[in-house]
Amino acid sequence: MKNQLALIKKIAIISFLLTGSLHSLATFYWSFGGELGLLTVGNWTISLKQTYDNKFLLILFLLGIFKISSTWIPLILNYKNNKFINTISYIGATILVIHGGINTISGWLKLLGIIPIEFKLSLIGQAFVWDPMFLIWGTGLIVFLRLKDKI
């Protein structure tokens, strides 16, 4: 049983580190002016980039720092207990699961024609890329947080 929990914990760590890091890397890429995949977030991102240019890129860069920090800082809990990091990690993971879950489901409902589609390219990101990654990131983090003291 302990070996199974250890394996689940390792999978959880890999899943939240991988998805959080990939999310962060995409944000950093966009913050340096890259546009590949930006439309899968929504056409509003292109509008903001055209309207605010460098200010928008700076905000994306700061968001990338926030994402990468939020991804890797909880790993400290694997080595030492910190109530603040633990609490913030639970809050963040819960937000990721709720946000990612709702948006992934709504993306699939759009694919099924139940909800109208406003912008087709963002549907790809919503149903298959960014929001499922939020869901996996948050789920992996919650599983890790639940198992960190048991193993």
Side-chain angles (χ1 to χ4, degrees):
M1 179 69 168
K2 198 165 189 160
N3 288 341
Q4 290 174 333
L5 289 177
L7 178 62
I8 292 169
K9 181 180 167 187
K10 286 178 187 176
I11 292 170
I13 290 171
I14 290 168
S15 69
F16 82 76
L17 290 178
L18 185 63
T19 53
S21 295
L22 288 173
H23 236 286
S24 304
L25 289 174
T27 304
F28 281 125
Y29 166 73
W30 295 325
S31 78
F32 286 103
E35 292 188 358
L36 185 65
L38 193 56
L39 283 174
T40 63
V41 177
N43 61 349
W44 58 271
T45 56
I46 298 296
S47 298
L48 283 175
K49 186 175 179 188
Q50 290 170 346
T51 304
Y52 298 104
D53 195 31
N54 288 336
K55 291 177 187 173
F56 180 66
L57 298 179
L58 176 62
I59 290 169
L60 283 176
F61 183 76
L62 295 174
L63 181 60
I65 290 172
F66 176 76
K67 284 181 177 182
I68 201 75
S69 299
S70 300
T71 299
W72 286 87
I73 287 175
L75 198 57
I76 292 169
L77 297 170
N78 204 29
Y79 305 101
K80 112 181 199 182
N81 197 13
N82 183 306
K83 282 189 175 195
F84 179 74
I85 294 174
N86 193 59
T87 302
I88 295 298
S89 296
Y90 265 114
I91 292 168
T94 302
I95 291 168
L96 287 168
V97 168
I98 292 169
H99 174 77
I102 289 172
N103 285 331
T104 299
I105 290 169
S106 70
W108 283 94
L109 291 174
K110 288 175 185 178
L111 276 174
L112 296 171
I114 297 170
I115 297 175
I117 300 171
E118 294 174 23
F119 186 67
K120 287 187 180 184
L121 283 176
S122 66
L123 174 64
I124 295 166
Q126 187 176 26
F128 298 109
V129 185
W130 310 116
D131 293 311
M133 284 175 66
F134 276 134
L135 181 59
I136 293 167
W137 181 2
T139 302
L141 185 52
I142 287 175
V143 171
F144 163 71
L145 293 169
R146 301 283 295 156
L147 293 178
K148 69 179 175 49
D149 295 328
K150 295 181 181 181
I151 303 165

